[in-house]
Amino acid sequence: MKFHLTDGLNFLSKLTPIRLLNATQVVGSYLYSRFTGKAVHWGSPISISFEPTTSCNLRCPECPSGLRSFTRPTGMLQEGLFKQTIDELQHRLLYLILYFQGEPYLHKGFLDLVKYASGKGIYTATSTNAHYLNDETARQTVESGLDRLIVSIDGTTQETYSAYRVGGKLNKVLEGTRQVVKWKKRLKSKTPHIMFQFLVVRPNEHQLDDVKELAKELGVDEVVFKTAQIYDYENGSDLIPTIDYYSRYKNNGNGTYSLKNKLLSHCWKMWHSCVITWDGLTVPCCFDKDAEYRMGDLKQESFAQVWRGAKYNKFRQSLLRSRDEIEMCRNCTEGTKVWA
């Protein structure tokens, strides 16, 4: 999580004594657990991701939502469930990501959810393919108090963009971005901080400088390059970039690939954050896209009961013992963004 000056100052403005104390407790319990090998947790999550919907208008080849490959159902987050959870966490929660799988703007009440969390003084962020950012939704986005808007743009020409964003139209992404920039200026708002996120894959790796120029031209605040997760990477893929710096995988020279990152038996995410699906399932992190590792159900329990429950603690303990034993963790590559 990186911040530019204005964005960083905005983020710091969300800190309260209670949130700072909570962050200290979380960091302390993580360090204690890491060095003793005994999973303990003090405090509440610093950050959570809430999934507005699993529905998506695109067909991206390495995305379960785009591939329609979920075993879990597709649906829309209920306002009551969202507000109930935010009300429980609001005093200690600092950062809310309104995104997991799917396209958030397909949820008709999405910006009402943003507005509710923003009204609690929580830093809010989302990620979108920008196809639904017309004049009206762009204005409402700025007015909602959204702090960070991540726009997925994986190419600067339609040909390269659609190589990964299958079914997408680059001109809609650019027009949607222009609308948000326009309304930020018109409403004299410093938020949202607009980021272009460029997923580096082989078809678009020659356009890294081009997207920086495009962002500057449009008035986008920041560009971030993200490395791609490939599910079946062992025998290579047409999506793995040839520029090694932007690849999560090492070319072994014999036609096979392996993860660059070593699977160390600890993970900061298990202490400071979690993901909540549209139907209230709490899962450990964003790598659990099909919600296989279910720590609890917020339709039946409070968040505190799930977060401090035996199942969650057992999962944290198993990770400290051997991360390699957890299937989800084997293709995990923490620290996969490259900032421009």
Side-chain angles (χ1 to χ4, degrees):
M1 195 162 57
K2 179 184 176 183
F3 299 95
H4 281 203
L5 180 59
T6 302
D7 187 38
L9 290 174
N10 177 41
F11 179 78
L12 290 174
S13 74
K14 313 290 183 180
L15 275 173
T16 64
I18 293 177
R19 287 173 179 162
L20 187 58
L21 173 62
N22 180 65
T24 302
Q25 290 175 321
V26 172
V27 171
S29 61
Y30 169 67
L31 293 175
Y32 177 86
S33 300
R34 180 173 171 180
F35 289 111
T36 65
K38 181 181 179 181
V40 298
H41 199 288
W42 309 314
S44 297
I46 298 169
S47 168
I48 64 170
S49 296
F50 232 124
E51 179 180 65
T53 181
T54 44
S55 298
C56 190
N57 54 308
L58 302 185
R59 300 289 189 275
C60 303
E62 291 292 326
C63 174
S65 185
L67 293 170
R68 310 302 191 258
S69 63
F70 285 124
T71 61
R72 61 187 177 99
T74 292
M76 299 286 173
L77 173 63
Q78 295 300 302
E79 181 180 331
L81 174 65
F82 176 77
K83 288 185 175 180
Q84 171 188 310
T85 308
I86 294 300
D87 288 348
E88 184 181 351
L89 296 175
Q90 61 178 309
H91 298 299
R92 293 174 176 268
L93 185 66
L94 179 60
Y95 191 97
L96 173 65
I97 304 168
L98 275 155
Y99 171 74
F100 179 31
Q101 297 298 292
E103 168 51 48
Y105 281 85
L106 285 172
H107 190 297
K108 291 183 179 179
F110 170 64
L111 291 172
D112 292 329
L113 303 181
V114 173
K115 194 170 185 178
Y116 188 79
S118 294
K120 304 290 186 181
I122 300 167
Y123 185 97
T124 53
T126 195
S127 179
T128 178
N129 60 46
H131 281 59
Y132 299 97
L133 286 173
N134 55 33
D135 181 74
E136 180 65 14
T137 55
R139 177 182 63 79
Q140 292 174 352
T141 296
V142 177
E143 291 176 338
S144 73
L146 182 72
D147 293 293
R148 176 177 289 198
L149 180 68
I150 301 170
V151 176
S152 296
I153 178 168
D154 304 327
T156 58
T157 62
Q158 177 60 30
E159 181 182 7
T160 52
Y161 173 78
S162 61
Y164 187 80
R165 298 284 164 183
V166 178
K169 301 294 183 184
L170 179 61
N171 64 322
K172 287 190 174 183
V173 180
L174 302 182
E175 181 56 27
T177 302
R178 290 189 187 99
Q179 293 292 345
V180 179
V181 171
K182 178 189 77 175
W183 279 108
K184 274 184 69 176
K185 291 178 180 177
R186 190 168 294 182
L187 296 172
K188 298 179 180 178
S189 176
K190 294 182 179 179
T191 58
H193 180 77
I194 305 172
M195 298 170 63
F196 267 175
Q197 182 170 273
F198 193 93
L199 188 70
V200 183
V201 288
R202 195 173 303 174
N204 68 18
E205 63 183 358
H206 61 289
Q207 294 182 334
L208 304 183
D209 290 333
D210 295 342
V211 75
K212 291 181 186 178
E213 287 300 315
L214 182 59
K216 186 177 180 181
E217 175 188 322
L218 293 174
V220 170
D221 298 304
E222 186 177 358
V223 177
V224 58
F225 297 116
K226 185 177 180 182
T227 60
Q229 179 189 3
I230 309 297
Y231 285 96
D232 297 317
Y233 63 84
E234 290 89 350
N235 296 311
S237 165
D238 291 339
L239 293 173
I240 296 177
T242 61
I243 305 173
D244 184 65
Y245 183 70
Y246 294 105
S247 176
R248 300 187 187 190
Y249 310 100
K250 177 184 176 182
N251 188 336
N252 296 321
N254 59 0
T256 66
Y257 288 75
S258 57
L259 281 173
K260 287 181 179 178
N261 286 13
K262 295 180 179 179
L263 291 180
L264 302 176
S265 292
H266 58 82
C267 182
W268 166 233
K269 278 182 177 282
M270 296 306 104
W271 271 257
H272 90 277
S273 66
C274 69
V275 175
I276 304 170
T277 65
W278 69 269
D279 52 351
L281 301 175
T282 303
V283 299
C285 79
C286 60
F287 269 77
D288 192 6
K289 294 179 172 57
D290 212 15
E292 295 178 26
Y293 297 85
R294 302 176 181 186
M295 300 294 107
D297 187 342
L298 297 184
K299 297 189 299 298
Q300 300 173 6
E301 310 169 79
S302 70
F303 184 88
Q305 287 174 318
V306 175
W307 186 248
R308 298 192 173 282
K311 194 170 185 179
Y312 223 134
N313 196 60
K314 184 179 179 181
F315 186 86
R316 293 188 185 106
Q317 189 63 59
S318 66
L319 188 145
L320 290 172
R321 183 176 62 251
S322 178
R323 186 172 168 183
D324 191 48
E325 292 178 10
I326 304 171
E327 181 65 33
M328 174 181 69
C329 298
R330 291 178 188 165
N331 193 15
C332 175
T333 43
E334 271 293 291
T336 53
K337 288 185 174 67
V338 183
W339 305 89

